[in-house]
Amino acid sequence: MIFQKHRKPKKITTMTIYNFKHISGDKTFFMGDMHGNFKSAAYYIKQHQNIFTNSIIISLGDCGLGFEKYNYYMEILWKANKTLQKLNTYIIMIRGNHDDPDYFINQKIQLSNIFTIPDYTVIQTNNNKNNILCIGGALSTDKDERLKEEDRINKHRTCKRKLYWDNELPILNVTEINNIV
């Protein structure tokens, strides 16, 4: 794994622990690379509710947050959240390289059953038997293409769109790791 050591995060997090002991059962699922397809994910969960009821779904980055305006995501996620409430299912999103880190550092998505978390968050499941340390980010192999496309679409726009974020790499924070251990 490549860690970004030279850059300080915008905000050093204090270790956050999310405890899901109120969920009966020990079902934890992992998914990745939604790339903004929140409606499809919600539809799939609803169609397979016998599997996903009373569970935690951890989205392992590339949620697709930051390419559109904030209200766009809130409108879609608000509807998905209603379905998840009925199923007692939670989606926890970890940042990826195709996400605006600000959504995670500042926890911009905080609905009852869908939320973004900052790096160095610990998720406890199965009556505290499982601890999952979440550190997001990755190296973009498509960086050059994304920057070219960003330049192209922003050439004549007053309201600029981002397609690439400089602080996409995971940040090695030894202090946070020591606090957790």
Side-chain angles (χ1 to χ4, degrees), residues 91-146:
I91 295 179
I92 304 167
M93 293 185 267
I94 302 169
R95 74 180 176 96
N97 58 310
H98 290 114
D99 293 308
D100 179 351
D102 191 49
Y103 274 81
F104 302 86
I105 294 167
N106 293 309
Q107 297 178 277
K108 285 187 170 185
I109 308 294
Q110 292 296 301
L111 301 173
S112 63
N113 291 57
I114 302 173
F115 42 92
T116 54
I117 59 172
D119 289 354
Y120 295 95
T121 295
V122 175
I123 299 169
Q124 294 181 332
T125 65
N126 194 14
N127 294 319
N128 300 338
K129 292 178 188 170
N130 301 324
N131 292 303
I132 303 165
L133 173 60
C134 303
I135 304 172
L139 176 66
S140 288
T141 59
D142 62 347
K143 175 184 174 181
D144 293 337
E145 291 84 14
R146 287 169 59 198

Side-chain angles (χ1 to χ4, degrees), residues 44-159:
Y44 185 83
I45 292 165
K46 189 173 183 177
Q47 292 303 113
H48 298 89
Q49 60 186 289
N50 58 323
I51 296 169
F52 292 107
T53 298
N54 296 320
S55 65
I56 300 166
I57 302 168
I58 300 172
S59 179
L60 301 171
D62 288 359
C63 304
L65 295 172
F67 295 97
E68 304 293 339
K69 292 186 179 189
Y70 174 78
N71 288 339
Y72 168 83
Y73 299 114
M74 291 309 294
E75 183 179 326
I76 292 170
L77 294 173
W78 184 258
K79 291 175 185 174
N81 193 65
K82 288 181 184 178
T83 299
L84 296 175
Q85 284 175 322
K86 292 175 188 169
L87 300 175
N88 193 34
T89 300
Y90 296 80
I91 295 179
I92 304 167
M93 293 185 267
I94 302 169
R95 74 180 176 96
N97 58 310
H98 290 114
D99 293 308
D100 179 351
D102 191 49
Y103 274 81
F104 302 86
I105 294 167
N106 293 309
Q107 297 178 277
K108 285 187 170 185
I109 308 294
Q110 292 296 301
L111 301 173
S112 63
N113 291 57
I114 302 173
F115 42 92
T116 54
I117 59 172
D119 289 354
Y120 295 95
T121 295
V122 175
I123 299 169
Q124 294 181 332
T125 65
N126 194 14
N127 294 319
N128 300 338
K129 292 178 188 170
N130 301 324
N131 292 303
I132 303 165
L133 173 60
C134 303
I135 304 172
L139 176 66
S140 288
T141 59
D142 62 347
K143 175 184 174 181
D144 293 337
E145 291 84 14
R146 287 169 59 198
L147 287 171
K148 283 178 192 173
E149 182 65 10
E150 186 177 285
D151 286 344
R152 187 190 68 73
I153 65 172
N154 288 327
K155 193 172 193 173
H156 302 291
R157 293 175 67 128
T158 53
C159 182

Side-chain angles (χ1 to χ4, degrees), residues 27-43:
K27 297 187 293 187
T28 303
F29 299 95
F30 299 89
M31 70 175 174
D33 298 270
M34 280 193 293
H35 292 281
N37 292 315
F38 303 110
K39 290 179 187 176
S40 297
Y43 178 79

